[in-house]
Amino acid sequence: ERLLRDDLAAAVAARMDTSFADPSYTANAGINPASITYGAEAIAAQSFTDYSDIQIDVRAVMQKFIDAKNPLTSGVWIMSSSNALALAVKNSLGQAEFPQMSVNGAIFMGLPVIVSDYVTDYVVLVNASDIWFGDEGGIQIDMSMEASLQMVAGDDEGSTLNSITPTAASVV
């Protein structure tokens, strides 16, 4: 029961993480909202070959917040561990371009980094104070001591594994 609960909770968390930031995740009325990045204008990334390319991209992303008069007082980067690792590696001189970065996150350009492997090839900058979360009590798994059994007639060889469709189910 515990393994099933933990696996189900992990699957739900993975789905929530994926749908939270995936730019292609659209809204379904009455079911789920769109992702926080849905409809946002993407910043065309540079080649990421050196520090200056990354700074150009970072400035373009941060400028969007400045232009919208939305100060990054609670700004947070969300990225994959692959992108975090790319920012944490050392340059050809053996120096860290972003010394506060690690594969597990930390600080990038003065803002905290949340690493999620459900964010794929994009990097997201959000103001955490702009994110609201509604929860209806979390996940609950109940176990029942009752079961239903459906009896199906067998074939000529005695097998019950056939394609006969019963007209009524027998409940025991």
Side-chain angles (χ1 to χ4, degrees):
E1 178 182 339
R2 185 178 308 166
L3 290 173
L4 178 62
R5 181 201 62 210
D6 292 348
D7 283 349
L8 183 57
V12 169
R15 182 65 188 149
M16 287 175 65
D17 284 358
T18 300
S19 60
F20 178 71
D22 183 356
S24 65
Y25 193 75
T26 62
N28 288 325
I31 298 173
N32 63 271
S35 73
I36 62 168
T37 57
Y38 183 76
E41 180 185 343
I43 304 297
Q46 300 296 318
S47 61
F48 292 113
T49 56
D50 63 17
Y51 180 75
S52 61
D53 289 342
I54 295 170
Q55 283 203 327
I56 290 169
D57 290 340
V58 168
R59 181 179 174 152
V61 170
M62 290 181 150
Q63 190 65 48
K64 292 285 186 184
F65 282 84
I66 293 167
D67 292 345
K69 308 272 190 274
N70 187 1
L72 287 165
T73 54
S74 62
V76 176
W77 296 98
I78 304 171
M79 65 181 71
S80 68
S81 55
S82 296
N83 283 331
L85 176 63
L87 294 173
V89 297
K90 298 181 186 318
N91 63 21
S92 60
L93 299 174
Q95 302 163 324
E97 299 285 3
F98 305 102
Q100 294 179 309
M101 270 303 293
S102 78
V103 70
N104 295 318
I107 304 294
F108 175 61
M109 302 302 275
L111 300 175
V113 175
I114 297 172
V115 173
S116 171
D117 287 321
Y118 301 106
V119 176
T120 55
D121 59 348
Y122 49 92
V123 175
V124 180
L125 177 61
V126 298
N127 241 344
S129 62
D130 293 340
I131 306 295
W132 293 67
F133 179 70
D135 185 11
E136 296 179 5
I139 298 172
Q140 180 178 348
I141 299 176
D142 292 325
M143 186 173 79
S144 174
M145 297 304 287
E146 288 79 32
S148 295
L149 179 64
Q150 181 174 336
M151 304 300 285
V152 179
D155 59 19
D156 291 339
E157 297 172 3
S159 171
T160 58
L161 301 174
N162 60 30
S163 60
I164 297 174
T165 304
T167 55
S170 301
V171 177
V172 178

